[in-house]
DNA sequence: GTGGTCTAGACCACC
DNA sequence: GTGGTCTAGACCACC
């Protein structure tokens, strides 16, 4: 794992797990790495990992069992909500960036459509 | 200035100048800080700044006048191109992120339109 | 402030604020001590205070304003709920302790009634 | 053993033995650990243990036989008294806490009855 | 000054 | 081994 400094590391850890959940790479019941293990691999402080894990527990994404480890608990409804929330974030950020480059809404729509066309062609080729 | 570690710092320096140009915060003829000055303020290595300035000179964004400093030279056509290039980057990143969340192209379009509507309402209110 | 070691310190900090809220000693809008100030007075680590404050923010008991401080936000409905929750905790603990001393429910009721009578007499005297 | 700092440790040691007696975990004639042994296990100062043991001897809860060790001597009447004393303490603490939360005597009775009902249901289920 | 994040590392409880 | 709490202290952003 690599981290930006655009956001706190603990947020990025959480977002990363959210993405894995949304993509189905992690499912309810799965065990995620222990705090220490994660901290070592990602080379961050165990406290930072713990903060991420604790927040995920509060939002009922995971359940920790002392002495056992941490397990995914997110249910389908929660996944839907998470997916929507993350999309809202990504889209909001996109609109903000495009506006800061001086594009109007209609230009944004136009350029997006154009680029999607190109991308799709590229994928079909 | 803040730097990610998603991209080399010298690229971020260049992109930052590009954004300032595109937004009109910098205009042809404007003097930009000396390399040493920039390096101190942004607390990065002077060599990094030098690389950024050299590349900007190569692409004719700036012109260095010995003993005088470095000045913006970008002309309108170049601005248009830069604006498009940056937009392409932003849009590409956006599509990639949305796809990684499992959204299809038509869902992306739909959600974007939806969120734009909400944002506009908010701004008019 | 003095702390037990029956519960984590950050919990005791929270409970203490809850009690003050329930008793009306603190009201919405009131500023509570800064994290540093609290930490110094209570002689605990600032991180411990921050954890308490952060959790209080999550449960919307307080609102922190960067550079300004932390302010009470609890509304009347929340106070009612908090009061009930704390009562449930205190009563549960009481029942558990009495049972561990070998008392039956009817004995607990009897002894409590008896002691209340004495206390009331004492207060009237 | 765990100790609060709400009460002197020697009192907590005594109370702990009282609880064990009341619950029948210790019976007349049983040998309790030597002072040195207790001090090491509980990691408290031997003087603290000595004070606790001395007071228990004075109140005839235990008897020390030189070269043999310390033995429980509590008789049934004493147990009854101890049980009542401890109950008085627990109940007093309970009333104080509930009052500090702003509950009246009749509310305390009502809530206790309510919670006992729930607890009993839970246990029967 | 205020709160926010992070590292380093100790010590504990539960398994 | 696992997670939970706490201290000590650095550095940052916002005011």
């Amino acid at each position: 794992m690599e981290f930006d400094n655009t956001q706190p590391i603990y947020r990025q850890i959480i977002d990363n797990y959210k993405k894995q959940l949304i993509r189905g790479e992690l499912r309810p019941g799965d065990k995620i790495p222990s705090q220490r293990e994660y901290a070592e691999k990602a080379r961050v402080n165990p406290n930072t990992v713990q903060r991420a894990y604790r927040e995920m527990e509060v939002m009922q994404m995971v359940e920790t069992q002392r002495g056992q480890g941490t397990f995914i608990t997110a249910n389908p409804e929660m996944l839907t909500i998470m997916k929507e929330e993350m999309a809202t974030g990504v889209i909001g950020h996109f609109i903000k960036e495009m506006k800061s480059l001086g594009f109007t809404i209609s230009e944004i729509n136009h350029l997006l459509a154009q680029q999607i066309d190109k991308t799709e062609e590229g994928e079909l080729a």
Side-chain angles (χ1 to χ4, degrees), chain A residues 3 17 21-22 27 36 48 52 56 63 82-83 87 91-94 96 99 111 117 119 123:
Chain A
F3 299 105
Y17 274 117
L21 273 166
I22 289 169
R27 315 177 53 141
R36 277 167 178 76
T48 302
M56 292 196 291
E63 207 170 88
M82 264 170 31
K83 197 173 159 177
I91 296 169
H93 180 246
F94 169 64
K96 203 180 113 206
K99 282 191 169 174
L111 288 166
D117 285 349
T119 315
E123 282 170 9

Side-chain angles (χ1 to χ4, degrees), chain A residues 39-58:
Chain A
E40 277 168 25
K41 276 200 185 157
R43 291 208 261 155
V44 292
N45 190 284
N47 284 329
T48 302
V49 180
Q50 198 185 34
R51 175 157 183 194
Y53 277 34
R54 190 166 56 221
E55 300 218 354
M56 292 196 291
E57 177 150 45
V58 168

Side-chain angles (χ1 to χ4, degrees), chain A residues 31-91:
Chain A
K31 188 172 189 287
I32 62 175
S34 79
Q35 295 175 8
R36 277 167 178 76
E37 207 181 323
Y38 193 115
E40 277 168 25
K41 276 200 185 157
R43 291 208 261 155
V44 292
N45 190 284
N47 284 329
T48 302
V49 180
Q50 198 185 34
R51 175 157 183 194
Y53 277 34
R54 190 166 56 221
E55 300 218 354
M56 292 196 291
E57 177 150 45
V58 168
M59 57 177 95
Q60 295 181 304
M61 261 175 75
V62 301
E63 207 170 88
T64 65
Q65 283 162 26
R66 202 184 256 232
Q68 300 294 337
T70 303
F71 302 84
I72 299 293
T73 56
N75 60 46
E77 301 87 61
M78 195 186 306
L79 277 183
T80 311
I81 293 169
M82 264 170 31
K83 197 173 159 177
E84 278 167 18
E85 282 175 356
M86 295 211 62
T88 304
V90 170
I91 296 169

Side-chain angles (χ1 to χ4, degrees), chain A residues 12-25:
Chain A
Q12 296 183 54
I13 294 174
I14 296 172
D15 281 352
N16 205 44
Y17 274 117
K18 280 189 182 173
K19 282 183 193 164
Q20 289 187 67
L21 273 166
I22 289 169
R23 292 190 207 120
E25 292 161 21

